[in-house]
Amino acid sequence: VVCRDGCIKAVGQADAICNQFSGATFERVIDCSGKCVLPGLVDAHTHPVWAGDRVHEFAMKLAGASYMEIHEAGGGIHFTVEHTRKATEEELFNTFKHRLERMRRAGSTLVECKSGYGLHLESELKMLRVIERAKRSMDIGISSTYCGAHSVPRGKTATEATDDIINNHLPKLKELMLSGELHVNNIDVFCEKGVFDLVSTRRILQAGKDIGLQINFHGDELHPMKSAELGAELGAQAISHLEEVSDEGITAMARAKCAAVLLPTTAYMLRLKQPQARKMLDEGVIVALGSDFNPNAYCFSMPMVMHLACVNMKMSMNEALAAATINAAYALGKSDTHGSIETGKQGDFVIINSSRWEHLVYQFGGHEALIDYVIVKGKVIYQNERCGTTSSY
C-alpha cells in the first residue's frame, strides 16, 4: 500500500492488508497474482548526457585497439566532448529524456547521472542544467554528479585542469547550488594513469567534499592507482570500476563502508579483467552495480547488468539483486529512502510477469516481455502493452 505522498504505508500478507485497509479507497489497485513485486532497480553509474555516438569505435575495439589507444588517437571521451560542446541544451535534453525512458522500461527507478563531456565550465553547467531539468520534469529518481574531471581538456595539463576545476568550476557550482538553480549530489574524478593522478584526484575530491558533495569517483580501472585506499581515507560514499584494485584497497573499502560500484558491461565490452566481486563480497565490501551507460558501453538494462555480474563476476542472483537495489541506493547515499520494499520508504517497484523473481536475472535480454509495470512513488510510469499476456517461461 502506497500513500498519496508516494511512500509505502504498509507491507504484508494480502489477507492482513485487505483487513487493515477494508474501509480505504484507492486510486488504483493492481492484481499481482502469480507475479513478483521487486524494489525498483537502481543504476549506480551512468553517463547519459552527450551528443555524437561512437559506433565507429566499436569496430576499432573489435580489431584490438585498446581504450587508451583510441583515446590517444583523438577518439573516446574527446570525440564525445567535441559533439557535446556543439549541441544545444534542448538537443541534449531530448536525447537524455529518451535514454531515461529506455532505462525506466528496463526497470530502473533511480539513476545516477554524470556530467563530464564538457570539460570546460560552460559545457559542464549545460549538462548539469539538462540533468536538473529531467529531475524536475520526469517521473524517475536522479542522483546528479559533477564529473568535470572526466578527462584532461586538450591544451591543458592535468595540473592546469585541476586548478581550473578547483578555482573556477566548483565555486560557480557552489553558487548555483546555494541559489537553488542546481541540485548536485556527487563529485567524480577519473583517477587513471595519463588522466588525473592521485595527487590531482585528492585535491579535486576534497574541494568537492568541502562544498557539500558526496565523493563517488572512477578508480583503479585500467591501472592500479591506489584509488580505493584514497577513497577510504577521504570518506568516499562509493568508488566505481575497480578492475585493478589492490588487496589493501579492498580491505580499506570494507573498513570504511565505502561502496564498490562494479560495471560488468565495461569489463565485458573493453575485454578487461573482471572486477573481483567475489573477494569484495567475502571481505565485507558493500557491492553495488551500474550500467555505465555511455557512448563506450551502450547498455540501458540493469537486468542484463545483473546477468553479466552473475556469469562473469561469480555473483549469486541474490547478491546481484541486492547490488542493483539496496546496495546501489547506498552507493548514492539514498538507502534510507530507496532500494527495498519497507514501510516509510519511497514506493518504487518493478512488477514482473513471473512467479519466480529470478527470471529477471536468468533471462538475458528478456526484460522487454517480462516487466509488466514500473512504478515510481506509487505512480505507474510504465505499463507493458502486452501486460499479463505473455508467459515468462
Side-chain angles (χ1 to χ4, degrees):
V1 177
V2 181
C3 282
R4 288 183 184 274
D5 65 1
C7 293
I8 299 171
K9 178 72 172 176
V11 180
Q13 294 293 325
D15 290 347
I17 293 291
C18 287
N19 289 334
Q20 184 181 347
F21 292 90
S22 59
T25 56
F26 294 91
E27 289 182 6
R28 182 163 187 175
V29 176
I30 299 175
D31 184 355
C32 297
S33 302
K35 303 178 190 289
C36 280
V37 183
L38 298 168
L41 303 180
V42 180
D43 191 339
H45 183 122
T46 80
H47 301 258
V49 183
W50 46 268
D53 67 46
R54 304 213 299 262
V55 65
H56 60 287
E57 289 182 12
F58 190 51
M60 295 170 68
K61 288 197 286 281
L62 294 177
S66 72
Y67 177 89
M68 290 308 291
E69 284 169 347
I70 292 170
H71 184 78
E72 287 160 6
I77 290 172
H78 288 304
F79 177 88
T80 306
V81 167
E82 181 183 341
H83 286 76
T84 304
R85 285 181 176 180
K86 290 176 182 175
T88 67
E89 198 168 310
E90 194 65 26
E91 287 169 340
L92 290 174
F93 177 73
N94 286 333
T95 53
F96 178 41
K97 180 181 175 183
H98 289 306
R99 290 165 188 160
L100 285 176
E101 287 169 349
R102 289 182 69 178
M103 291 176 183
R104 290 193 310 192
R105 291 199 297 273
S108 292
T109 57
L110 173 61
V111 180
E112 185 266 1
C113 299
K114 304 178 190 293
S115 71
Y117 291 117
L119 305 187
H120 60 42
L121 180 57
E122 295 77 14
S123 294
E124 288 295 309
L125 292 178
K126 176 172 68 173
M127 297 179 72
L128 291 170
R129 284 194 301 268
V130 165
I131 295 170
E132 185 72 25
R133 184 173 164 188
K135 266 189 182 185
R136 294 176 178 177
S137 65
M138 294 189 68
D139 292 316
I140 187 169
I142 292 175
S143 179
S144 175
T145 300
Y146 164 75
C147 188
H150 195 196
S151 184
V152 178
R154 285 178 174 149
K156 277 191 168 77
T157 65
T159 301
E160 289 169 341
T162 300
D163 290 340
D164 184 36
I165 288 167
I166 292 170
N167 298 327
N168 298 308
H169 290 216
L170 292 178
K172 183 63 178 178
L173 202 55
K174 181 181 179 181
E175 176 191 323
L176 294 171
M177 289 165 63
L178 287 172
S179 72
E181 291 179 57
L182 291 177
H183 298 84
V184 181
N185 306 101
N186 315 289
I187 178 121
D188 192 351
V189 176
F190 187 17
C191 182
E192 184 54 68
K193 184 178 179 181
V195 192
F196 290 94
D197 64 14
L198 215 58
V199 173
S200 295
T201 299
R202 176 191 292 274
R203 290 181 61 206
I204 295 168
L205 293 178
Q206 186 61 57
K209 186 177 181 180
D210 290 344
I211 67 166
L213 300 176
Q214 290 181 137
I215 295 175
N216 189 332
F217 72 111
H218 292 61
D220 296 326
E221 178 184 359
L222 305 174
H223 299 91
M225 298 288 292
K226 295 192 180 296
S227 301
E229 292 89 329
L230 175 65
E233 179 193 336
L234 293 178
Q237 186 72 23
I239 306 170
S240 292
H241 282 292
L242 299 165
E243 287 87 351
E244 297 290 344
V245 69
S246 67
D247 291 347
E248 295 78 13
I250 291 173
T251 301
M253 288 181 70
R255 190 177 299 122
K257 292 183 167 51
C258 172
V261 181
L262 305 185
L263 310 169
T265 52
T266 310
Y268 165 71
M269 292 180 189
L270 294 181
R271 296 167 171 164
L272 302 176
K273 179 173 71 178
Q274 293 289 329
Q276 299 179 68
R278 195 70 266 140
K279 181 174 175 63
M280 292 180 194
L281 288 162
D282 292 345
E283 294 206 14
V285 176
I286 298 162
V287 172
L289 290 171
S291 68
D292 197 16
F293 172 79
N294 73 79
N296 187 55
Y298 208 100
C299 176
F300 295 106
S301 170
M302 286 303 292
M304 291 184 76
V305 168
M306 288 189 281
H307 180 101
L308 288 171
C310 293
V311 174
N312 290 340
M313 300 196 309
K314 299 181 173 63
M315 293 175 71
S316 71
M317 286 190 285
N318 284 352
E319 288 166 342
L321 181 64
T325 53
I326 189 65
N327 289 3
Y330 176 89
L332 303 179
K334 291 182 177 291
S335 55
D336 57 336
T337 54
H338 294 72
S340 59
I341 301 175
E342 297 179 71
T343 302
K345 285 196 170 185
Q346 188 165 300
D348 293 359
F349 314 103
V350 177
I351 300 172
I352 64 169
N353 182 27
S354 173
S355 59
R356 294 282 300 271
W357 72 264
E358 291 93 340
H359 270 274
L360 195 62
V361 181
Y362 165 62
Q363 294 189 24
F364 189 49
H367 66 267
E368 290 184 356
L370 187 61
I371 293 174
D372 275 355
Y373 299 91
V374 180
I375 296 166
V376 171
K377 293 184 180 178
K379 176 183 176 182
V380 174
I381 61 167
Y382 168 69
Q383 180 174 349
N384 196 323
E385 292 176 358
R386 297 177 292 178
C387 181
T389 64
T390 56
S391 170
S392 62
Y393 297 100

